[in-house]
């Protein structure tokens, strides 16, 4: 590649494909254990069913920025990628395919069905990793893992067995969250509680002797068929005489006691609560305390069973309607009230979950949570932003046992076998040949699989070879930072901390960098149902990966949600084009550049010293913001440096020296500064926009095979020049002021203005007289510098900048009579519009009826018009002053 063949326009597609292939083929992402300090990240494994969405794009862009930055800093960086088997989601996909063929998983049987799932995984499982490559993710693809690969599966079995032997895994009947559609349990944190309008049904339960009754209130009358008691608070005087009495269950006639329990809230409803231990988690606990029976009346398909008597075979919603009708007809329904309440839904399919008594496998979490709480309190793990520490601790301190069994076929099958002769329970890594208790060979493996999060909880160490003591595990664990969304702190982050401390006796990561969700422009969560999702691959096709990455990071502050705006995406693409055009200009003027013969610092002009100093500030600020995970601020600093200071100021200032320099030494000096700053800017920008920076860096004089391996720019205090910055600030302000006057007065761009600068301060006057070319070149003017002014020039626009008075005589620059006429016409139109708006705001009826935002908009318009009237009058005064 030469620096002379740079295309006139930037084509992201060509550049991105070329450089990613080059990086991957040359193993620049691959990490090997050595003597350097490690920096490691494990990728939150996306579902093997998935494809890249904006949440993935944000999460992986942030990880890639940190990885590329640390790699350039000289760390031995490992970003370990992988995918999750996603039990429920993947099985559902394959079942959907079978349904289209008119089959179910039962038609195939477990073994053939799993063959079908593995085939699906082989065909579609690499889709998201291919898309991550399109994004520019610099993962070590040689180390890619899958949560059901051989190594991860071995780790899962080892963890299960150790916890089982330690008494931390147990099997018991318990109330679980059952999804009738997915046909499996889901954990508490996988239940989404949505506020829904509903009803509160007041039902009368008579005593056995018929002399009294208790009225209870419920939102789920269909569960009354499983009632085994009515509970009241021990201190509730209203019901004290009924405690111990026997009630008769309406509709079914089953007898049950009135019990006293402090769980009951006397202020809610009637202060009496029906107890249904098989269908409510709180009732389950009350039932255990009072040794009550557990009557399950709803099956796993949400259909009423035999215990429901005459309602057997009805869907739960149809059963509710029938029960309300029958209660009303038989005189048991007292009243119905509207009642909004939170209803649990399955996070995966949005079906209303059914609390159900079921025998499941659980992890005893309290003893495991205690070390995980201490690790965060003692600062061994730090959350960024810090506010998420409280959220984590609050959940961990109130943690419940974790139901880890799922009624699926796809996943890590629970490594437990049951003897059909003596009912012995055998936990083992490999299938046992005979029962360890009675010697029988009639053994049957537990049909359930483990919760997907059980395997991903081991991710930071299982992926590095645990339980084997590998060099990678010793070197890269604990990992440096975990980057993840705020929505999976409980699902994943907490469980990794628990697992890491228990099995590695060390935290899994030092810091947890939390980001928010990507929302649409209206602040709504992106979803298929709303049709507001944006496909990152479509964006990469239209704008390029660099533009998508830069847009995502510049809008991001740690922990907060991000709104996706196409206008900001266009702005990021404009930035890429700006970089391309500036680099193209630079490279065209560097064709004869020889770094070895560049003059020293004594040849630097004020502009050279200024840009080198500002570059040092940029290096310092970008590095500081990256260290504190303020990636959006880091991107803003480099953006402002490249766009404003380098492109809009330095390149414009340096053009005369490149085009018309009489002194070859001055041209060589300008080339050297231009090349050094552009290369340094590309190195700073590389973690954010890796593709365009590689393309430009390769065309500049450089050392090494890739910008990825270039040393991260170091702050050089010797190049910081605050005097040059202060002096350039004066000149730049004067230039801006003259440009503003030209714009306001409609001076044609091609006309050179005669400008008088009145400067009373001697140092400022010397500065301007030393560097008049900067002002004259960038403000298109001829400059006269005076210590004072005898008489104000006629028809001269006036401005002040940093103590410098600026006068721009307009005669000869513009047609004054024509401009006066234009301004008068414009003034009349603006005054007319202002009067209309003032009239509207003076109308009491409008103020009373119009929405607040409409009134506010009109007030803002009034202010804008008033300011415009004032500005036009000032211009008319200047042009009308002929003295």
């Amino acid at each position: 590649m030469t620096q002379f063949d740079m295309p006139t326009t930037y084509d992201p597609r060509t550049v991105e494909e070329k450089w990613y292939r080059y990086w991957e083929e040359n193993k620049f992402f691959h990490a090997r254990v050595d003597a350097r300090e490690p920096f490691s990240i494990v990728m939150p494994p996306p579902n093997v069913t998935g494809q890249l969405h904006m949440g993935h794009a944000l999460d992986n862009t942030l990880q890639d920025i940190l990885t590329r930055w640390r790699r350039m800093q000289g760390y031995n960086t490992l970003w370990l990628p992988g995918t999750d088997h996603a039990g429920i989601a993947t099985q559902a996909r394959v079942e959907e395919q079978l349904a289209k063929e008119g089959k179910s998983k039962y038609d195939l049987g477990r073994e053939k069905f799993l063959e079908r799932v593995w085939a699906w995984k082989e065909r579609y499982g690499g889709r998201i990793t291919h898309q991550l490559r399109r994004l520019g993710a610099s993962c070590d693809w040689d180390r890619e893992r899958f949560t059901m690969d051989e190594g991860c599966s071995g780790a899962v079995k080892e963890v299960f067995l150790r916890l089982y032997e330690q008494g931390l895994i147990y099997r018991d009947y318990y109330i679980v969250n059952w999804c009738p559609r997915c046909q499996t349990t889901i954990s508490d944190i996988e239940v989404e509680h949505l506020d829904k309008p509903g009803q509160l049904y007041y039902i009368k339960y008579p005593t056995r002797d018929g002399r009294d009754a208790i009225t209870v209130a419920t939102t789920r009358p269909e569960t009354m068929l499983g009632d085994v008691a009515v509970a009241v608070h021990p201190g509730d005087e209203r019901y004290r005489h009924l405690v111990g009495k026997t009630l008769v269950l309406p509709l079914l006639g089953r007898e049950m006691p009135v019990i006293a329990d402090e769980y009951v809230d006397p202020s809610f409803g009637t202060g009496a609560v029906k107890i249904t231990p098989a269908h409510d988690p709180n009732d389950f606990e009350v039932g255990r305390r009072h040794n009550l029976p557990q009557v399950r009346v709803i099956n796993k398909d949400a259909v009423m069973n035999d215990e429901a008597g005459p309602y057997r075979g009805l869907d739960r919603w149809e059963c509710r309607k029938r029960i309300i009708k029958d209660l009303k007809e038989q005189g048991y329904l007292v009243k119905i009230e509207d009642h909004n309440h939170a209803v649990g839904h399955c996070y995966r399919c949005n079906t209303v979950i059914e609390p159900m008594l079921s025998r499941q496998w659980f992890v005893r979490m309290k003893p495991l949570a205690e070390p995980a709480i201490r690790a965060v309190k003692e600062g061994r793990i730090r959350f960024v932003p810090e506010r998420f520490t409280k959220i984590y601790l609050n959940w961990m301190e109130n943690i419940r046992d974790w139901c880890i069994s799922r009624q699926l076929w796809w996943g890590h099958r629970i490594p437990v076998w049951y003897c059909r002769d003596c009912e012995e329970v055998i936990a083992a890594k490999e299938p046992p040949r005979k029962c360890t208790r009675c010697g029988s060979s009639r053994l049957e493996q537990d049909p359930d699989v483990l919760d997907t999060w059980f395997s991903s909880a081991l991710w930071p160490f299982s992926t590095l070879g645990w339980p084997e003591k590998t060099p990678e595990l010793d070197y890269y664990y604990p990992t440096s930072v975990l980057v993840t969304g705020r929505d999976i702190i409980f699902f994943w982050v907490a469980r990794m901390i628990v697992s890491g401390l228990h099995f590695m006796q060390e935290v899994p990561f030092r810091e947890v960098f939390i980001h928010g969700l990507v929302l649409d422009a209206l602040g709504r969560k992106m979803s298929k149902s709303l049709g507001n999702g944006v496909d990152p691959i479509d964006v990469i096709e239209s704008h390029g990966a660099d533009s998508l990455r830069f847009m995502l990071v510049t809008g991001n502050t740690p922990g907060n949600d991000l709104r996706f705006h196409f206008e900001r995406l266009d702005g990021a693409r404009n930035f890429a084009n700006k970089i391309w055009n500036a680099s193209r200009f630079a490279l065209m003027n560097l064709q004869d550049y020889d770094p070895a013969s560049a003059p020293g610092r004594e040849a630097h002009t004020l502009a050279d010293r200024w840009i080198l100093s500002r570059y040092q500030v940029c290096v310092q600020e970008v590095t500081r913001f990256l260290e504190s995970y303020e990636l959006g601020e880091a991107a803003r600093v480099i953006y402002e440096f490249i766009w404003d200071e380098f492109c809009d100021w330095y390149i414009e200032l340096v053009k005369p020296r490149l085009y018309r320099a009489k002194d070859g030494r001055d041209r060589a000096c300008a080339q050297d500064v231009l090349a050094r700053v552009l290369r340094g800017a590309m190195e700073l920008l590389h973690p954010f926009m890796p593709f365009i920076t590689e393309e430009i860096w390769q065309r500049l004089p450089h050392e090494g095979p890739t910008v990825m391996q270039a040393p991260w720019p170091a702050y050089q205090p010797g190049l910081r020049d605050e005097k040059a910055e202060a002096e350039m600030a004066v000149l730049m302000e004067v230039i801006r002021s003259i440009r503003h006057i030209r714009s306001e007065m409609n001076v044609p761009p091609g006309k050179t203005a005669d400008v008088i600068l009145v400067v009373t301060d001697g140092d400022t006057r010397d500065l301007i007289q030393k560097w008049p070319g900067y002002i004259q070149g960038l403000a298109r003017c001829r400059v006269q510098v005076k210590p004072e002014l005898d008489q104000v020039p006629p028809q001269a626009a006036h401005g002040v900048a940093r103590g410098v008075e600026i006068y721009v005589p307009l005669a000869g620059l513009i047609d004054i009579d024509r401009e006066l006429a234009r301004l008068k016409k414009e003034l009349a139109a603006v005054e007319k519009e202002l009067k209309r708006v003032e009239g509207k705001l003076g109308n009491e009826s409008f103020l009373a009826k119009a929405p607040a935002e409409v009134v506010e908009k009109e007030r803002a318009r009034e202010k804008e018009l008033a300011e415009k009237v004032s500005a036009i009058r000032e211009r008319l005064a200047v042009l009308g002053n002929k003295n």
Side-chain angles (χ1 to χ4, degrees):
M1 181 189 295
T2 69
Q3 58 193 30
F4 317 127
D5 61 352
M6 195 166 178
T8 53
T9 56
Y10 177 52
D11 177 13
R13 183 76 184 257
T14 305
V15 167
E16 290 168 5
E17 286 180 358
K18 173 180 68 177
W19 288 119
Y20 201 90
R21 187 169 58 250
Y22 171 73
W23 295 331
E24 197 167 359
E25 286 175 355
N26 284 279
K27 305 283 187 186
F28 291 141
F29 306 150
H30 185 54
R32 297 178 182 85
V33 173
D34 60 27
R36 290 176 296 160
E37 185 176 349
F39 176 84
S40 55
I41 296 181
V42 290
M43 176 188 290
N47 288 354
V48 73
T49 59
Q51 59 186 42
L52 197 68
H53 58 62
M54 277 301 166
H56 292 132
L58 171 62
D59 189 63
N60 287 283
T61 293
L62 297 176
Q63 291 175 78
D64 195 43
I65 289 168
L66 294 173
T67 302
R68 288 178 182 271
W69 166 52
R70 291 299 193 188
R71 186 184 288 124
M72 294 175 74
Q73 282 192 320
Y75 288 83
N76 182 327
T77 55
L78 168 64
W79 182 16
L80 196 150
T83 49
D84 191 286
H85 64 278
I88 295 175
T90 306
Q91 180 159 325
R93 287 287 181 89
V94 178
E95 288 194 72
E96 285 169 11
Q97 282 189 341
L98 287 173
K100 291 176 183 175
E101 300 169 17
K103 298 177 185 175
S104 76
K105 64 182 181 181
Y106 302 106
D107 294 324
L108 273 67
R110 186 167 192 144
E111 190 175 332
K112 291 292 183 184
F113 176 76
L114 289 177
E115 286 177 12
R116 183 79 176 249
V117 183
W118 277 108
W120 188 95
K121 185 264 178 188
E122 291 306 313
R123 183 172 181 184
Y124 297 106
R127 177 173 50 187
I128 194 163
T129 55
H130 170 73
Q131 291 175 331
L132 286 169
R133 288 171 166 88
R134 293 288 308 273
L135 186 68
S138 61
C139 307
D140 187 347
W141 295 110
D142 292 339
R143 297 184 185 275
E144 183 181 352
R145 300 301 300 270
F146 175 54
T147 50
M148 282 180 61
D149 65 28
E150 187 178 345
C152 289
S153 291
V156 166
K157 290 176 186 175
E158 181 72 22
V159 164
F160 185 95
L161 291 174
R162 289 196 194 181
L163 291 174
Y164 181 76
E165 288 162 4
Q166 293 162 7
L168 293 170
I169 281 183
Y170 65 94
R171 192 177 185 221
D172 198 2
Y173 284 98
Y174 207 84
I175 288 289
V176 296
N177 305 298
W178 181 265
C179 175
R181 182 173 177 185
C182 296
Q183 282 289 293
T184 185
T185 57
I186 59 175
S187 66
D188 290 344
I189 53 176
E190 292 169 322
V191 177
E192 293 184 347
H193 292 279
L194 307 176
D195 284 330
K196 297 280 186 180
Q199 283 80 39
L200 200 56
Y201 302 91
Y202 289 79
I203 305 168
K204 183 169 63 178
Y205 287 54
T207 56
R208 183 168 54 188
D209 58 16
R211 295 178 182 175
D212 214 331
I214 292 182
T215 298
V216 301
T218 181
T219 58
R220 304 176 66 225
E222 65 278 10
T223 63
M224 68 174 288
L225 304 175
D227 288 354
V228 294
V230 167
V232 298
H233 193 276
D236 194 333
E237 294 294 337
R238 293 173 295 176
Y239 301 114
R240 181 165 295 188
H241 67 291
L242 289 173
V243 174
K245 297 281 187 180
T246 300
L247 302 176
V248 177
L249 178 65
L251 306 182
L252 292 188
R254 184 164 62 238
E255 294 186 351
M256 57 189 191
V258 178
I259 61 172
D261 196 284
E262 292 191 351
Y263 154 70
V264 180
D265 178 3
S267 65
F268 180 76
T270 65
V273 179
K274 63 189 221 48
I275 302 299
T276 321
H279 294 284
D280 183 276
N282 295 312
D283 293 3
F284 176 78
E285 297 295 344
V286 173
R288 288 218 290 200
R289 283 197 292 274
H290 294 269
N291 198 29
L292 297 171
Q294 298 162 339
V295 180
R296 199 174 105 181
V297 294
I298 305 176
N299 284 336
K300 290 181 176 180
D301 56 0
V303 170
M304 310 309 289
N305 64 21
D306 289 347
E307 292 285 355
Y311 305 97
R312 72 175 64 85
L314 293 178
D315 168 80
R316 55 181 166 168
W317 310 128
E318 184 59 33
C319 178
R320 178 179 295 185
K321 292 176 188 174
R322 282 273 302 275
I323 283 176
I324 296 306
K325 176 176 174 289
D326 291 349
L327 287 171
K328 193 179 294 184
E329 289 176 354
Q330 296 179 37
Y332 294 114
L333 187 64
V334 177
K335 62 177 177 176
I336 302 174
E337 289 179 350
D338 289 335
H339 175 67
N340 287 345
H341 62 120
V343 179
H345 290 69
C346 173
Y347 81 109
R348 179 65 61 187
C349 69
N350 205 38
T351 301
V352 175
I353 62 103
E354 191 63 50
M356 189 172 292
L357 185 67
S358 178
R359 197 175 192 190
Q360 302 287 341
W361 287 95
F362 295 87
V363 175
R364 214 178 299 277
M365 293 301 294
K366 283 284 184 188
L368 291 170
E370 288 166 7
I373 290 168
R374 284 198 304 273
V376 172
K377 284 185 173 179
E378 292 169 1
R380 286 182 284 144
I381 297 176
R382 183 172 76 96
F383 279 84
V384 180
E386 202 275 331
R387 69 177 184 271
F388 287 100
T389 304
K390 186 177 180 182
I391 295 170
Y392 165 85
L393 290 174
N394 183 59
W395 188 73
M396 291 293 279
E397 286 165 355
N398 295 282
I399 199 164
R400 292 171 58 177
D401 286 357
W402 174 18
C403 177
I404 55 170
S405 45
R406 297 290 181 269
Q407 288 64 53
L408 302 169
W409 287 358
W410 171 246
H412 295 280
R413 194 161 176 182
I414 291 175
V416 168
W417 284 259
Y418 307 108
C419 177
R420 290 196 288 182
D421 290 330
C422 72
E423 298 185 354
E424 177 72 350
V425 178
I426 306 162
K429 272 190 181 179
E430 302 299 331
R433 295 176 63 185
K434 59 182 181 178
C435 175
T436 53
R437 183 179 176 188
C438 72
S440 170
S441 59
R442 286 166 35 88
L443 303 176
E444 187 175 69
Q445 187 173 1
D446 194 301
D448 291 351
V449 300
L450 291 163
D451 180 9
T452 295
W453 298 102
F454 189 91
S455 52
S456 52
L458 321 180
W459 195 243
F461 55 90
S462 67
T463 52
L464 293 171
W466 187 92
E468 301 299 321
K469 293 184 177 180
T470 65
E472 288 81 6
L473 184 63
D474 182 59
Y475 182 70
Y476 290 113
Y477 188 95
T479 61
S480 307
V481 60
L482 175 75
V483 182
T484 191
R486 61 174 172 77
D487 54 333
I488 57 172
I489 292 175
F490 311 136
F491 284 102
W492 192 44
V493 179
R495 288 164 176 170
M496 280 191 290
I497 295 172
V498 162
S499 301
L501 286 165
H502 192 73
F503 294 101
M504 294 293 296
Q505 290 76 52
E506 178 60 279
V507 297
F509 25 74
R510 305 293 186 194
E511 294 176 306
V512 183
F513 175 28
I514 301 289
H515 59 79
L517 307 177
V518 183
L519 309 176
D520 70 7
L522 300 175
R524 301 173 301 175
K525 193 173 179 179
M526 290 185 177
S527 68
K528 287 182 181 178
S529 60
L530 289 174
N532 62 343
V534 179
D535 188 335
I537 297 301
D538 290 343
V539 173
I540 290 171
E541 292 286 347
S542 62
H543 288 72
D546 283 336
S547 296
L548 173 60
R549 290 166 61 110
F550 201 74
M551 184 279 292
L552 288 171
V553 73
T554 48
N556 182 60
T557 53
N560 292 334
D561 293 339
L562 162 71
R563 291 195 183 193
F564 185 96
H565 292 280
F566 278 99
E567 297 82 3
R568 290 185 51 253
L569 185 63
D570 291 340
R573 180 174 59 186
N574 293 342
F575 181 46
N577 290 334
K578 182 92 168 179
I579 293 167
W580 186 260
N581 293 332
S583 301
R584 202 166 170 275
F585 163 81
L587 288 162
M588 283 192 297
N589 287 280
L590 292 173
Q591 294 181 21
D592 58 344
Y593 168 52
D594 178 11
S597 61
R601 288 170 61 178
E602 71 282 352
H604 288 169
T605 64
L606 173 61
D608 295 336
R609 288 184 282 115
W610 169 76
I611 196 64
L612 288 168
S613 183
R614 293 304 301 158
Y615 173 67
Q616 294 309 312
V617 173
C618 184
V619 168
Q620 193 175 41
E621 288 289 282
V622 170
T623 306
R624 179 173 67 85
F625 281 126
L626 285 171
E627 293 280 3
S628 61
Y629 294 102
E630 294 281 356
L631 275 58
E633 284 298 286
R636 177 191 59 78
V637 169
I638 185 93
Y639 172 92
E640 290 174 356
F641 173 76
I642 292 174
W643 189 297
D644 299 336
E645 296 178 325
F646 183 69
C647 294
D648 285 356
W649 285 100
Y650 184 71
I651 284 181
E652 295 304 314
L653 288 165
V654 86
K655 280 180 179 178
R657 297 164 65 201
L658 295 170
Y659 293 162
R660 301 185 294 276
K662 295 176 183 176
D663 180 1
R665 190 165 177 270
D666 188 30
R667 173 178 162 80
C669 179
Q671 287 178 316
D672 187 56
V673 174
L674 184 66
R676 284 166 57 194
V677 174
L678 178 57
R679 185 177 63 242
M682 293 304 98
E683 289 165 356
L684 282 180
L685 183 62
H686 175 71
F688 304 90
M689 302 178 79
F691 295 108
I692 193 171
T693 52
E694 182 78 88
E695 177 73 14
I696 293 165
W697 187 87
Q698 292 282 357
R699 295 172 180 274
L700 290 162
H702 63 269
E703 294 181 7
T706 170
V707 66
M708 285 174 52
Q709 295 179 353
W712 180 252
Y715 177 69
Q716 297 174 268
L719 290 176
R720 184 73 198 278
D721 192 332
E722 293 185 20
K723 184 170 183 262
E725 290 187 41
E727 289 177 343
M728 274 301 299
V730 172
L731 298 175
M732 289 160 70
E733 197 61 40
V734 170
I735 292 165
R736 286 192 194 97
S737 186
I738 297 170
R739 285 173 166 175
H740 178 71
I741 290 169
R742 291 182 64 111
S743 172
E744 289 289 297
M745 293 299 176
N746 277 333
V747 176
K751 286 203 173 183
T752 301
D754 288 303
V755 175
I756 301 166
L757 303 179
V758 180
V759 192
T760 56
D761 178 72
D763 291 340
T764 305
R765 190 163 59 249
D766 291 344
L767 170 68
I768 293 173
Q769 288 173 333
K770 185 176 181 180
W771 305 102
Y774 291 174
I775 299 173
Q776 292 175 162
L778 270 64
R780 198 163 184 83
C781 64
R782 290 179 290 269
V783 171
Q784 275 186 285
V785 183
K786 297 184 177 185
E788 56 185 73
L789 198 62
D790 298 329
Q791 185 179 1
V792 175
Q795 295 177 317
H798 175 254
V800 179
R802 299 285 183 118
V804 177
E805 286 203 79
I806 302 162
Y807 294 92
V808 182
L810 298 169
L813 278 179
I814 61 174
D815 184 330
I816 290 178
D817 291 337
R818 188 173 177 182
E819 184 64 11
L820 279 167
R822 188 190 70 79
L823 286 171
K824 287 174 183 175
K825 185 177 179 181
E826 184 181 358
L827 178 63
V830 175
E831 286 179 330
K832 182 179 178 182
E833 176 64 9
L834 178 60
K835 190 173 181 181
R836 184 192 69 78
V837 174
E838 287 174 338
K840 205 170 184 181
L841 289 170
N843 185 331
E844 293 297 331
S845 176
F846 168 75
L847 294 176
K849 294 177 181 177
E853 60 269 21
V854 173
V855 174
E856 193 55 40
K857 192 175 179 181
E858 290 296 321
R859 285 193 174 126
R861 177 72 174 146
E862 179 188 35
K863 184 182 177 185
E864 177 192 339
L865 290 168
E867 288 171 354
K868 197 167 184 179
V869 165
S870 178
I872 295 170
R873 285 174 177 166
E874 283 180 18
R875 276 179 262 162
L876 283 168
V878 168
L879 295 176
N881 178 18
K882 298 183 180 180
N883 299 317

